[in-house]
């Protein structure tokens, strides 16, 4: 998987357009872990994450919230989001983001916060850790209860995943949760039944992990990977991967 992903991203990134930055769209970036090698291609090393931030600043991007990106899509704005509730985001990313005043959002798998991950809390945050993200100023949204592929599960199971996750976050954190990030987040990982269930549960914004190929009615995010050197990171910001989806 890593070999194929690397080859595809290198090939596409080598075609990085050199047009005016003013023509680049505002973007919401999708990260996962920051220093958890077990997360594979979804993991970005802490030093590489800080390099990404510096590249963005050097190139004239401004960090913003997802809402600000959606409100002003023609401006050079970047929003940072993280999926899964991985401990390394709290340990390695949150202090850097707070130091530089950069906003971010974490999408939490509530069943994992409850201890339901196969490795328990070896790599993912418990509720105490999730609450600490709030102390760092990181906004929170749902990433389901058990991280299923919503493109494959029954409508009733999709509804339960969405509703239980929302209510659990409200119970544990006192939050009114309105935002949801689709697990895996690509074209085949969402269904019409899931879209209906999300709206009926009370979610107002559903994020994908793809751009031009995303499911209908979702907000695009640009997936950032472990292999993204400054050149490939710039390629992502320039739209080189907007029609690309992770193979797994």
């Amino acid at each position: 998987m890593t070999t194929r992903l690397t080859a595809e991203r290198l090939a596409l990134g080598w075609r990085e357009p050199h047009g005016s930055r003013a023509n680049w769209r505002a973007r919401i970036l999708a990260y996962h872990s920051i220093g958890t090698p077990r997360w594979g291609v979804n993991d970005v090393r802490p030093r590489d994450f800080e390099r990404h931030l510096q590249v963005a600043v050097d190139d004239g991007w401004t960090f913003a919230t997802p809402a600000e990106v959606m409100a002003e899509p023609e401006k050079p704005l970047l929003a940072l989001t993280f999926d899964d509730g991985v401990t390394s985001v709290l340990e390695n990313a949150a202090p850097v983001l707070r130091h530089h005043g950069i906003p971010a959002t974490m999408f939490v798998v509530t069943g994992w916060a409850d201890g339901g991950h196969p490795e328990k809390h070896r790599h993912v945050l418990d509720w105490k850790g999730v609450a600490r993200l709030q102390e760092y100023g990181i906004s929170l949204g749902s990433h389901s209860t058990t991280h299923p592929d919503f493109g494959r599960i029954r409508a009733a199971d999709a509804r339960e995943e969405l509703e239980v996750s929302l209510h659990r976050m409200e119970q544990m954190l006192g939050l009114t949760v309105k935002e949801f990030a689709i697990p895996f987040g690509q074209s085949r990982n969402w269904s019409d039944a899931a879209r209906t269930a999300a709206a009926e549960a009370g979610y107002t914004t559903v994020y994908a992990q793809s751009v031009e190929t995303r499911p209908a009615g979702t907000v695009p995010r640009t997936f950032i990977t472990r292999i993204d050197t400054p050149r490939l990171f710039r390629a992502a910001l320039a739209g080189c991967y907007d029609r690309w989806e992770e193979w797994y």
Side-chain angles (χ1 to χ4, degrees):
M1 173 179 170
T2 302
T3 301
R4 178 172 173 175
L5 180 146
T6 299
E8 290 178 351
R9 285 183 80 86
L10 285 171
L12 291 169
W14 208 244
R15 305 170 190 168
E16 177 186 348
H18 296 284
S20 168
R21 178 177 56 80
N23 294 324
W24 297 357
R25 70 180 68 179
R27 291 188 179 273
I28 302 171
L29 305 184
Y31 285 92
H32 290 77
S33 60
I34 307 296
T36 307
R38 193 172 182 82
W39 250 239
V41 296
N42 288 341
D43 182 58
V44 173
R45 301 172 187 85
R47 67 177 182 274
D48 291 336
F49 177 66
E50 293 194 48
R51 289 170 75 189
H52 291 172
L53 300 182
Q54 189 62 58
V55 165
V57 171
D58 290 345
D59 289 357
W61 296 86
T62 298
F63 293 107
T65 66
E68 290 169 336
V69 166
M70 288 183 277
E72 299 185 285
E74 303 307 316
K75 290 189 175 182
L77 302 177
L78 288 181
L80 305 183
T81 66
F82 301 87
D83 288 359
D84 297 343
V86 188
T87 302
S88 61
V89 175
L90 174 62
E91 295 173 341
N92 300 323
V96 174
L97 296 173
R98 181 168 66 178
H99 177 75
H100 293 290
I102 299 173
T105 302
M106 169 70 83
F107 295 103
V108 178
V109 181
T110 58
W112 292 357
D114 282 329
H117 189 274
E119 296 183 296
K120 302 302 181 182
H121 290 119
R122 181 181 177 188
H123 298 298
V124 297
L125 295 165
D126 59 14
W127 288 110
K128 182 178 179 180
V130 173
R132 286 191 62 202
L133 289 173
Q134 290 180 288
E135 296 173 7
Y136 277 96
I138 294 177
S139 300
L140 301 174
S142 169
H143 197 40
S144 78
T145 304
T146 67
H147 203 280
D149 182 345
F150 278 83
R152 296 186 176 187
I153 63 176
R154 299 179 306 163
D157 293 332
R159 182 179 301 277
E160 182 176 6
E161 284 279 342
L162 291 157
E163 292 180 351
V164 170
S165 178
L166 182 150
H167 294 147
R168 187 61 172 156
M169 292 191 73
E170 292 179 346
Q171 177 187 24
M172 297 303 294
L173 303 169
L175 292 177
T176 299
V177 177
K178 296 294 184 181
E179 296 186 308
F180 179 80
I182 304 168
F184 308 108
Q186 298 172 49
S187 58
R188 61 186 176 275
N189 305 128
W190 197 235
S191 65
D192 290 341
R195 181 171 66 246
T196 299
E200 292 177 350
Y203 295 101
T204 59
T205 309
V206 176
Y207 296 89
Q209 189 182 289
S210 54
V211 181
E212 294 184 17
T213 58
R214 72 187 187 277
T218 62
V219 175
R221 292 189 298 164
T222 299
F223 176 39
I224 305 300
T225 79
R226 182 177 183 82
I227 70 161
D228 290 353
T229 61
R231 180 181 179 87
L232 295 188
F233 182 70
R234 285 188 168 102
L237 301 189
C240 288
Y241 307 122
D242 283 2
R243 295 191 59 80
W244 177 87
E245 291 192 279
E246 178 185 4
W247 179 87
Y248 58 89

